[in-house]
Amino acid sequence: MRDTLVQLRVGVEDLQIGLSRTRHRLAEERRELDTVRRRRMLAEGIGDAETVAVAARFEAQHAERVEVLERKLAVQEEELVLVEREVAEMTAEFKAAHAGVGPARTGDGSGAAGDAARAAAAEAEVESTLGERDDLDAELDALRRRGNRAARDARADAMLEELKRRMGQ
């Protein structure tokens, strides 16, 4: 259950990144749509029928993209709410299972003091798991940086070899 919870939390972060990207693309498309509309109106103002026709075609394309991105954004927002709710429910179940509350209770602790101790232990385990995930994220970032650097170095080496070849060395 702990691994599933960690995966869900990583999934939430991925959804948030996707949502951010969609918002950015939507803002760009809206800017493009506004620009094309201004150009069409200017062309209409000077009576340039050919430019008006081209601008109208691009306006329709950008308007359609805006509409699709708006629907995509709405779906991504709904999905994020759903997954966040699942994470909250699973976190509560995880804490309850480790605290011995509910149907999984074994009865080996007694009273409120036992429940509080189990709840504190469950909370500590959840925090430890999340700390492990943070460590994993840092390690993944380091791997990405190393991979990016290796790719840049390989490109630089290839460019240097090409330059040497051209210069006849």
Side-chain angles (χ1 to χ4, degrees):
M1 180 182 245
R2 180 176 49 145
D3 293 338
T4 303
L5 184 58
V6 169
Q7 291 298 321
L8 276 175
R9 288 180 185 240
V10 170
V12 166
E13 290 176 11
D14 290 343
L15 288 172
Q16 290 169 335
I17 290 168
L19 196 59
S20 175
R21 287 179 180 156
T22 300
R23 284 184 179 131
H24 181 73
R25 286 184 55 211
L26 179 58
E28 287 176 357
E29 260 328 300
R30 284 179 175 155
R31 282 191 298 273
E32 288 296 319
L33 179 59
D34 290 342
T35 299
V36 170
R37 284 181 176 157
R38 275 193 311 278
R39 289 178 180 164
R40 181 186 46 82
M41 288 189 293
L42 289 171
E44 286 173 348
I46 62 171
D48 185 351
E50 184 179 339
T51 303
V52 168
V54 170
R57 188 180 75 219
F58 282 110
E59 181 179 1
Q61 288 175 349
H62 286 290
E64 187 176 10
R65 285 183 188 141
V66 164
E67 184 180 320
V68 168
L69 287 170
E70 286 173 342
R71 288 194 314 256
K72 180 179 179 177
L73 183 65
V75 169
Q76 285 178 321
E77 288 172 340
E78 290 174 18
E79 184 179 16
L80 180 61
V81 167
L82 176 70
V83 173
E84 286 176 335
R85 186 174 60 233
E86 288 175 2
V87 167
E89 290 170 0
M90 188 172 282
T91 300
E93 290 173 11
F94 182 74
K95 288 178 182 179
H98 280 1
V101 178
R105 186 174 192 143
T106 59
D108 37 5
S110 61
D115 289 344
R118 283 188 296 277
E123 183 72 28
E125 186 172 344
V126 169
E127 292 304 319
S128 170
T129 300
L130 294 177
E132 290 170 9
R133 197 189 102 242
D134 290 341
D135 293 343
L136 182 61
D137 286 345
E139 189 175 331
L140 287 172
D141 287 343
L143 285 172
R144 279 189 211 107
R145 285 192 302 272
R146 276 184 264 169
N148 290 341
R149 182 180 182 105
R152 283 192 310 269
D153 288 347
R155 281 193 306 271
D157 288 343
M159 291 171 67
L160 180 61
E161 289 301 317
E162 177 64 18
L163 184 59
K164 286 180 181 178
R165 186 189 61 77
R166 286 185 185 174
M167 294 182 73
Q169 291 181 346

